[in-house]
Amino acid sequence: MSENRSPLREPVFRALWIGVLASNVGTWMQTVGAQWLVVHEANAATWVSLVQTVTTLPVLLFALPAGTIADALDRRRLLIAVQLSLFLIAATLTVLTALGEAGPGTLLIFTFLLGCGQALTLPSWQAVIPEVVPHDELPSASALGAVNTNLARSAGPALAGLLVAQFGSALVFGVNALSFAVFAVALLRWRRPRKPPVSRPEHFASALRAGGRYVRWSPVIRRILGRVLLFVLPGSVVWGLLPLVASRELGMGASGYGILLAALGLGAIGGALLMPRARKLLRTDQMIAVTGSAYGVALLLTALVPSRLVVPPALVVAGLAWMMLVSRMNVAMQLNLPNWVRARALAIYQLVFAGGQALGAFAWGQSAEAFGLRPTFGLAAGLMLAGTLTVRLWPVHTHEDEDRSPAVFWAEPHLMLQPHLDEGPVLVSATYSVPAANTAEFVAAMEELRGSRQRTGATQWGLFQDGAVPSEFVEVYLVPTWEEHLRQHEGRLTGDDEQAEQRAIALAEGPPAVRHLLPAKHSD
């Protein structure tokens, strides 16, 4: 990364960053207003945790379809449409609340609708970032995204607490509506360079499957997602039950709850400022161990010493640890994804992240109802520390220096038969001649190549050795349609895929002989 240049020097990124900040502040104000509106209801622990659950559940339900849409459509126009829709939803909730018509059920419905908009926004916004900042500034841009989120987490709840205490939740919901308008204006002012239209837009269903297939056959991405889940499930106890800690354990009102959330946000901002140095000093696994341990200790302090003098500093530590871990995993995702599948894979990341928060918040709410707040926080602390101990057995190697840029290096297929784009499945075979001395290394290199084939389109793969001619190896893989295979030729492969293929070819006696086998048709 350039030493003297910040992504905020990029005018487009700066304007969008400010717009997202306004939207994030409004969203946190909305959450505080909604949770405080039900905190005095019967079964308050369940209602409070349900607010958190319905806020994040839409991501679990719609994140992957949203990512698929974001990879297929103009992301700027999609974001504008979503922000305007969210403005209308939030404005309607404001009116209903002001009229006294927003009971717990109505509140949950509108909170769910707002969450649906966030589910559409998140993958599109994250996929836009590489379009407006240079590649070497992506880690800084991601850290600034974390600063953005946590500035909002710090300012939004504190401001909401003051407004709720003085004017009630309706005003908070109105400010949230305006925040969506601010982001929409920033998007309208962004003149995105026109791109040539995609010659063959992907069908929704096949694009959805392609995104899932990429993640399934990417070990790095799977490890990142697993580590996020291990952190978020126990960590969500704070976001789900903090209003009850404020009101029941610490005897604080709405403004006090805002102060506790501001402590989390303050710690997270500190974590963002520490991230550049931490990235240099700590490997990914070391950062996972440090942040998980710090968060677990903060949960233990909240459980064992529920004091106004102890809990806010503990939450500062928790916010710092949360931001550093989440930011590190987000950067790893961004740097390990090619552009063609970026929004879909980031949507799966958001699905795991928000789904873990939603399920965790609901489970911790039920635990608090059954056993109380202190035992619940103690159990969450134990799970957090236990998950951190697994880092030795389940390390995360992010491989951020690998080349994920598009690489078109396969020769164009020349066929006597011209298949329809939807025709399939297509069986591709590649025959290699391999010296006996290179056999073991070749087989190992082909196993690495298998991941490339299946990440980019293949549903089945195999490597076979000719029994009559032992020096001949035949690689075969099945692709669902001819169109899917053409996409492998035209931009799904990356520089890293090309290097993997060249390593295998270097162990053979020249390039392979490639054949494309199509489904046999009955003659008339």
Side-chain angles (χ1 to χ4, degrees):
M1 188 184 74
S2 172
E3 292 183 5
N4 299 316
R5 190 164 180 83
S6 163
L8 288 175
R9 292 176 179 266
E10 304 289 341
V12 172
F13 179 78
R14 182 174 63 250
L16 293 177
W17 188 88
I18 292 170
V20 171
L21 177 62
S23 180
N24 284 339
V25 168
T27 297
W28 273 101
M29 292 178 69
Q30 161 79 28
T31 300
V32 172
Q35 288 183 320
W36 204 256
L37 202 60
V38 298
V39 79
H40 299 299
E41 298 284 337
N43 301 315
T46 297
W47 284 116
V48 168
S49 62
L50 279 174
V51 169
Q52 181 69 30
T53 298
V54 299
T55 299
T56 53
L57 186 61
V59 179
L60 182 65
L61 298 176
F62 306 124
L64 189 50
T68 303
I69 293 170
D71 275 332
L73 302 181
D74 184 297
R75 292 165 183 164
R76 172 182 172 272
R77 292 182 179 180
L78 176 62
L79 284 168
I80 291 171
V82 170
Q83 301 318 301
L84 294 178
S85 300
L86 288 172
F87 170 77
L88 293 175
I89 294 168
T92 304
L93 177 60
T94 302
V95 173
L96 290 175
T97 305
L99 295 175
E101 299 295 327
T106 301
L107 180 65
L108 291 181
I109 291 171
F110 275 86
T111 302
F112 180 80
L113 292 175
L114 291 170
C116 291
Q118 291 300 318
L120 286 167
T121 298
L122 287 170
S124 299
W125 162 241
Q126 292 210 344
V128 157
I129 292 174
E131 294 186 35
V132 295
V133 299
H135 181 270
D136 62 349
E137 292 178 10
L138 269 180
S140 268
S142 182
L144 283 168
V147 170
N148 188 312
T149 299
N150 291 290
L151 275 172
R153 185 174 289 155
S154 176
L159 182 58
L162 293 173
L163 293 179
V164 167
Q166 295 295 322
F167 305 105
S169 293
L171 180 61
V172 169
F173 297 158
V175 172
N176 183 41
L178 291 176
S179 75
F180 295 124
V182 172
F183 188 22
V185 169
L187 289 163
L188 286 166
R189 295 183 63 187
W190 171 30
R191 300 303 180 203
R192 189 187 192 201
R194 288 189 176 273
K195 295 186 176 183
V198 178
S199 58
R200 296 191 312 275
E202 288 188 75
H203 298 297
F204 181 83
S206 60
L208 197 66
R209 289 192 295 270
R213 189 164 52 236
Y214 185 91
V215 170
R216 178 187 175 188
W217 292 104
S218 176
V220 173
I221 300 300
R222 292 201 312 271
R223 287 288 179 96
I224 293 170
L225 296 178
R227 186 51 59 184
V228 165
L229 191 61
L230 282 175
F231 186 84
V232 166
L233 278 174
S236 62
V237 69
V238 171
W239 312 111
L241 298 180
L242 196 58
L244 297 178
V245 173
S247 62
R248 295 184 182 179
E249 296 293 328
L250 303 180
M252 304 171 81
S255 58
Y257 172 45
I259 290 171
L260 294 185
L261 280 171
L264 279 167
L266 182 63
I269 293 170
L273 296 175
L274 290 174
M275 273 302 295
R277 182 177 295 275
R279 279 175 57 85
K280 294 178 181 178
L281 296 178
L282 299 175
R283 299 192 311 273
T284 301
D285 290 343
Q286 291 173 327
M287 186 171 292
I288 290 169
V290 169
T291 54
S293 300
Y295 202 99
V297 170
L299 292 180
L300 274 178
L301 288 173
T302 303
L304 299 176
V305 193
S307 160
R308 294 188 184 186
L309 296 177
V310 174
V311 172
L315 292 177
V316 170
V317 173
L320 184 147
W322 179 279
M323 199 293 308
M324 293 184 74
L325 189 282
V326 171
S327 177
R328 186 70 187 88
M329 295 297 98
N330 190 276
V331 169
M333 285 290 294
Q334 289 277 12
L335 295 180
N336 276 283
L337 291 172
N339 189 59
W340 71 267
V341 76
R342 185 182 303 277
R344 278 165 280 183
L346 287 171
I348 293 174
Y349 173 85
Q350 292 296 338
L351 186 155
V352 170
F353 187 89
Q357 279 193 293
L359 296 174
F362 180 76
W364 296 126
Q366 298 307 302
S367 174
E369 290 281 9
F371 307 111
L373 283 172
R374 296 188 193 183
T376 296
F377 269 79
L379 177 60
L383 291 176
M384 176 66 74
L385 294 171
T388 300
L389 292 175
T390 65
V391 72
R392 282 181 170 271
L393 299 175
W394 199 24
V396 177
H397 304 298
T398 53
H399 304 293
E400 292 171 11
D401 56 341
E402 293 183 354
D403 183 3
R404 307 295 179 186
S405 59
V408 180
F409 58 94
W410 284 358
E412 183 179 349
H414 296 284
L415 307 179
M416 296 297 293
L417 298 175
Q418 293 302 319
H420 188 273
L421 291 175
D422 292 332
E423 191 171 336
V426 176
L427 184 69
V428 182
S429 73
T431 302
Y432 300 81
S433 182
V434 182
N438 293 346
T439 296
E441 286 185 81
F442 176 78
V443 171
M446 292 302 292
E447 276 296 325
E448 182 183 354
L449 198 56
R450 172 185 183 174
S452 168
R453 308 294 196 225
Q454 297 197 281
R455 283 192 299 273
T456 57
T459 57
Q460 297 181 50
W461 180 93
L463 180 66
F464 301 90
Q465 187 173 14
D466 192 321
V469 186
S471 64
E472 286 199 358
F473 287 79
V474 181
E475 176 197 16
V476 294
Y477 56 94
L478 198 67
V479 186
T481 64
W482 179 244
E483 179 182 20
E484 194 86 3
H485 181 58
L486 287 180
R487 292 188 186 281
Q488 291 180 304
H489 277 267
E490 296 169 355
R492 282 190 177 178
L493 298 174
T494 66
D496 187 58
D497 294 323
E498 182 177 14
Q499 292 171 24
E501 187 161 321
Q502 290 303 320
R503 284 193 291 270
I505 292 174
L507 296 166
E509 295 175 346
V514 179
R515 300 173 67 196
H516 299 86
L517 307 179
L518 307 172
K521 298 179 181 177
H522 294 288
S523 58
D524 295 332

